[in-house]
Amino acid sequence: MSRTYVGELYNIFKSESCRMAQNISQAPTLGGIRNVYAAMGAENYYAQHGTEYRNPHFATLCEVVPKMLDAMLGPVLRIDKSTQDASTQDASTSSSFSCLDFCCGSGEFSRIFSSWCERRKLMCSLTGADPFTQQAYADVTGKVAKKWSFEDVCEGKLLDEDGTLMDEEGGLLDEENTQEDGVDRPRNTFDVLAISYAIHLLEPSRVYSFFPTMARHAKWMLIISPTKNKGVVDASLGWEPVDYLTDRKVHARFYKSLCYEG
C-alpha cells in the first residue's frame, strides 16, 4: 500500500482531531483507557465523552486495516489482486454489498472501509451503530449512526417476535426485503458485520446472546482488536473461524456465519 494512500486516510481525521484536541485532553486518562474504564465505567465514560471521542490508534489502523481487508474480504468478494487498484480495475468487476460498523465510534473503521471500497470499485451500503458517539460519527462521516448497542441486541430491543430487526421507533428496517418462500428470516441483514476496537465492551455474560443473534443478521464478521485474546468465537456461538491476521499489534479475526439465511 502506497504512502500516499496512507497519507490520504490520515488526513481524513487530521483536522477533526486537532479541532477536538482540547476537549479530549480534558477527559481523564489515568494511565490508559483500561484505567479510565475502571475509574468511571465504560458506559459512563462514553456517555460523558462520546461526542469528542477519537481513536488514538487511527494512524496505525489506516496502514494495516486495508491490507487485512484485501486478505480477508478480497477472496470473499472475488477481488482480483492484479486489479486491486481503482485506477486499473474494470468497472465490470464491481460488487455491491452491505456492512454494519457496530460500535462505530467516530467512524474510524467506516472511513477506512469506505476508502478501501472506493479504491476497489466496490459499492457498499454502510451503516454505523453506536449508543454514545452519534455526534462524533456525524461530525466525521456526515452520516447518522443508529443507536444500537450490545445490550439492545442481547435484550431483544431490536427484534420482534419472529426475529426481524427493528429501528429505534419499532418500525421494520428494509421492509422491501420480503420473503416469498414462507421461511422466517430477519428482514434487515448485512453481508459484513464489523466490530473494530470495541469487542472489549461486550460483557462476558452477553457473549452467548449477542453472537448467535447477529449470526442470523450477517453473513461474515470481522473483529479488529488491539488485544490478541478478544473476539475469539467458535461454532457454538454460530460462527466459523475463517482467518486470523495480526500486524503492529492490531489483531483481525474473520468469521463466516453458520446461521445466516438472508
Side-chain angles (χ1 to χ4, degrees), residues 123-136:
M123 295 181 293
C124 179
S125 173
L126 181 62
T127 300
D130 196 295
F132 301 112
T133 63
Q134 295 96 337
Q135 187 60 55

Side-chain angles (χ1 to χ4, degrees), residues 147-159:
K147 296 181 180 180
W148 306 332
S149 67
F150 289 117
E151 291 75 15
D152 289 333
V153 173
C154 295
E155 294 175 5
K157 294 181 180 179
L158 304 180
L159 304 171

Side-chain angles (χ1 to χ4, degrees), residues 2-231:
S2 68
R3 291 189 176 183
T4 300
Y5 180 36
V6 174
E8 290 174 353
L9 287 170
Y10 179 74
N11 286 334
I12 291 173
F13 274 72
K14 187 175 181 180
S15 60
E16 288 89 349
S17 296
C18 291
R19 181 169 59 86
M20 303 306 299
Q22 183 175 2
N23 289 337
I24 294 173
S25 65
Q26 294 172 354
T29 56
L30 303 179
I33 192 64
R34 293 180 181 178
N35 290 333
V36 173
Y37 289 163
M40 300 181 62
E43 183 172 339
N44 189 39
Y45 170 77
Y46 285 106
Q48 292 187 34
H49 300 285
T51 57
E52 70 261 20
Y53 172 77
R54 296 295 186 273
N55 189 326
H57 303 283
F58 179 70
T60 300
L61 294 175
C62 285
E63 185 171 346
V64 304
V65 170
K67 294 184 290 185
M68 292 174 168
L69 293 174
D70 282 337
M72 293 176 166
L73 275 181
V76 170
L77 300 176
R78 296 180 174 84
I79 298 175
D80 185 346
K81 290 185 178 180
S82 65
T83 59
Q84 283 182 347
D85 196 358
S87 63
T88 60
Q89 186 170 347
D90 192 308
S92 63
T93 64
S94 296
S95 301
S96 178
F97 63 104
S98 58
C99 177
L100 173 62
D101 182 2
F102 199 84
C103 287
C104 57
S106 54
E108 291 84 357
F109 177 82
S110 287
R111 294 304 296 268
I112 294 172
F113 188 71
S114 295
S115 296
W116 180 79
C117 289
E118 181 178 354
R119 290 178 65 86
R120 304 299 181 255
K121 289 195 173 180
L122 299 167
M123 295 181 293
C124 179
S125 173
L126 181 62
T127 300
D130 196 295
F132 301 112
T133 63
Q134 295 96 337
Q135 187 60 55
Y137 189 81
D139 289 343
V140 174
T141 68
K143 298 180 180 180
V144 178
K146 301 295 184 181
K147 296 181 180 180
W148 306 332
S149 67
F150 289 117
E151 291 75 15
D152 289 333
V153 173
C154 295
E155 294 175 5
K157 294 181 180 179
L158 304 180
L159 304 171
D160 68 4
E161 292 181 356
D162 60 6
T164 305
L165 197 60
M166 314 290 285
D167 63 19
E168 291 89 346
E169 288 73 36
L172 293 178
L173 291 170
D174 199 13
E175 294 185 39
E176 297 179 355
N177 184 21
T178 57
Q179 302 296 334
E180 299 179 355
D181 56 7
V183 178
D184 288 335
R185 299 193 184 102
R187 294 192 183 190
N188 191 55
T189 57
F190 300 90
D191 293 299
V192 180
L193 164 65
I195 305 174
S196 178
Y197 275 58
I199 198 63
H200 61 283
L201 299 175
L202 176 60
E203 296 178 9
S205 62
R206 300 185 185 274
V207 166
Y208 291 95
S209 176
F210 175 79
F211 287 115
T213 298
M214 293 310 296
R216 295 193 62 210
H217 293 277
K219 186 175 182 179
W220 306 94
M221 178 171 66
L222 174 64
I223 298 179
I224 301 174
S225 173
T227 308
K228 183 177 181 179
N229 63 351
K230 294 294 184 180

